Amino acid sequence: MFDGDSLESVILMLDGFACRYKHLDDGRRQITGYLVPGDLCDPYVFMLRKIDYSVATLCPALIAKVPRSKLVKILDEYPRIARALWWSALVDEGILREWVVSIGRRTALERTAHLICELYHRLQAVGLARNNRCEFPITQQDLADSLGLSAVHVNRTLQELRSKKLIVQRNHSLVMLDPEKLRDLALFKQSYLHMAEDGNNSRHEFMTSRAKHAPPLSRMIDQKGG
Amino acid sequence: MFDGDSLESVILMLDGFACRYKHLDDGRRQITGYLVPGDLCDPYVFMLRKIDYSVATLCPALIAKVPRSKLVKILDEYPRIARALWWSALVDEGILREWVVSIGRRTALERTAHLICELYHRLQAVGLARNNRCEFPITQQDLADSLGLSAVHVNRTLQELRSKKLIVQRNHSLVMLDPEKLRDLALFKQSYLHMAEDGNNSRHEFMTSRAKHAPPLSRMIDQKGG
DNA sequence: CGGATCGTTGAAGAGTATCAATTTGAGTGG
DNA sequence: CCACTCAAATTGATACTCTTCAACGATCCG
């Protein structure tokens, strides 16, 4: 799905990771957000005819493609889903604001820690993380393009997080060894994610609602694209 | 209006400039967006009980305070306004994505030029800029906190834009001497603002609609706060 | 006129980028 | 199971953008 495309259907992440990103003309890339299971790639289909960013998967992913017309009908029938969608867009905006704060004012170390915290908490909210461990299929180059750093510097920053005994990475998963210290270092305040106290949010509801009422899924296994 | 406040009414900018910002615990500040006439400070009142940022005016400003209940009624009666609100939130998100790209991947010079272009085009869209001139009541410290730079560096960056004959500043207004070169330098693509070809957008409609149906305005002159 | 805020300048240093090479690790096919 | 390949991670050296600090000048306003 690319910058400038028209929107004829909405894509829901069922499994795997993806990201939104933009390219500058000379090739510089900036990732503007991650999509985890339960997220919609493009909740803008109702207002904007074109999207102004691209989406790429970071690993093989499972998605549901919901035709625009079908989604409109679903939203009419199940207003809770409409509300969840609206909520979700606002949460996305809050996350985006925090990214601006991170890239603008946090140091490389704080910024990297903050992104790890964000992803862990979002995955936890949809039941995909526990015991301080979660999938982490994001390359150092992707992190660099998310954090406004170079890949080399991300590498050294991750080394520092490891040497401080805050995280370990194995295969494509990550463990927070001392979540509290990590959040302190990151200046991380969970509240901006607007989740309930128990760590759940309405996306979870959206996912489970979806399971009962969803249109047929199209299955797509996709290699990482750029 | 501060981080954590409950939302009992929505504030509409009628005149003047304001910004959204967040503080880190140690005092570092990051501005996450500007509010110009026609913008709502907090279009989140419908879903989120708390806001996760603060708002400050940058100059004496005129605002309309719309009680939550009244706005709900207005939106029921005039669905076009509801649509404009929804649209507006999506445009805000697009702007935020572009800020992430700017701070993450544009150089200081490009980034500064890009913010100038954004503000000019947004002001033009609500009829507050023409002939490449607009109000610009933003201090270098504010620019620094918007662009993720130090005030000193913003100063030198503005000097460079002036020495390249791209802008001039007088009093509190700014003139783009060579808008095309400025946009090229900034890698600025107008499309992300999702405005119509003529430079107008639905916020303008929102403003004029409001004039006919608005609740009584409360007038508030406010000194810059932090 | 005095005080505050904002803008400007210079010098020195920190943080991060860049470049280039090397190592590691995960497939893949023989 | 091993050799091969390719992408990702790591390392070192060097350069540069931007920050910090401190001082000074300009402007505004009561």
Side-chain angles (χ1 to χ4, degrees), chain B residues 28-188:
Chain B
R28 280 174 281 178
R29 181 177 79 142
Q30 176 67 43
I31 291 176
T32 62
Y34 286 96
L35 297 165
V36 303
D39 288 333
L40 287 172
C41 296
D42 37 26
Y44 314 107
V45 71
F46 301 108
M47 292 301 304
L48 309 178
R49 267 168 307 235
K50 307 275 182 184
I51 53 174
D52 61 339
Y53 53 84
S54 309
V55 175
T57 54
L58 301 173
C59 56
L62 180 63
I63 65 168
K65 216 166 163 179
V66 187
R68 182 195 179 106
S69 57
K70 207 123 194 174
L71 185 52
V72 170
K73 212 186 285 177
I74 293 175
L75 295 181
D76 279 350
E77 261 178 276
Y78 304 98
R80 295 179 73 189
I81 297 192
R83 226 183 48 224
L85 204 80
W86 185 210
W87 173 287
S88 156
L90 296 182
V91 172
D92 278 356
E93 196 173 326
I95 291 173
L96 221 29
R97 269 194 294 274
E98 201 61 44
W99 276 49
V100 169
V101 175
S102 268
I103 305 179
R105 285 293 180 236
R106 284 187 175 91
T107 66
L109 193 68
E110 292 164 355
R111 204 184 300 186
T112 308
H114 196 277
L115 180 57
I116 290 170
C117 291
E118 177 201 312
L119 286 172
Y120 178 83
H121 283 269
R122 287 175 60 191
L123 289 170
Q124 189 186 40
V126 292
L128 292 174
R130 53 180 183 176
N131 299 330
N132 302 319
R133 171 190 305 265
C134 64
E135 293 297 303
F136 203 82
I138 305 174
T139 68
Q140 293 183 356
Q141 183 60 61
D142 291 332
L143 284 176
D145 288 341
S146 308
L147 299 169
L149 299 169
S150 68
V152 170
H153 201 64
V154 166
N155 181 291
R156 290 175 176 138
T157 304
L158 287 173
Q159 286 179 43
E160 193 173 345
L161 288 176
R162 284 186 221 119
S163 77
K164 285 184 190 300
K165 307 283 184 216
L166 294 175
I167 63 166
V168 293
Q169 294 175 273
R170 273 211 324 278
N171 299 325
H172 290 148
S173 77
L174 180 147
V175 180
M176 301 193 291
L177 294 177
D178 190 334
E180 191 155 350
K181 265 193 193 155
L182 190 67
R183 284 190 288 264
D184 284 351
L185 168 63
L187 299 157
F188 180 85

Side-chain angles (χ1 to χ4, degrees), chain A residues 55-133:
Chain A
V55 175
T57 54
L58 300 174
C59 56
L62 180 63
I63 64 168
K65 218 167 162 177
V66 187
R68 181 194 180 109
S69 57
K70 206 124 196 175
L71 185 52
V72 170
K73 212 187 286 175
I74 293 176
L75 295 180
D76 278 350
E77 259 177 276
Y78 304 97
R80 294 180 74 189
I81 297 191
R83 225 182 48 224
L85 204 80
W86 184 212
W87 173 288
S88 155
L90 296 182
V91 172
D92 277 357
E93 196 173 325
I95 291 173
L96 222 27
R97 269 194 295 273
E98 201 61 45
W99 276 50
V100 169
V101 175
S102 267
I103 305 179
R105 287 293 179 237
R106 284 187 176 90
T107 67
L109 193 67
E110 293 164 354
R111 207 183 298 185
T112 307
H114 197 276
L115 180 57
I116 289 170
C117 291
E118 177 201 312
L119 287 172
Y120 179 83
H121 284 268
R122 287 175 60 192
L123 289 171
Q124 190 187 39
V126 293
L128 292 174
R130 53 179 185 178
N131 299 329
N132 302 317
R133 171 190 304 267

Side-chain angles (χ1 to χ4, degrees), chain B residues 210-223:
Chain B
R210 194 208 54 73
K212 281 182 288 191
H213 313 305
L217 309 182
S218 70
R219 191 188 182 86
M220 178 175 122
I221 304 296
D222 188 48
Q223 280 307 311

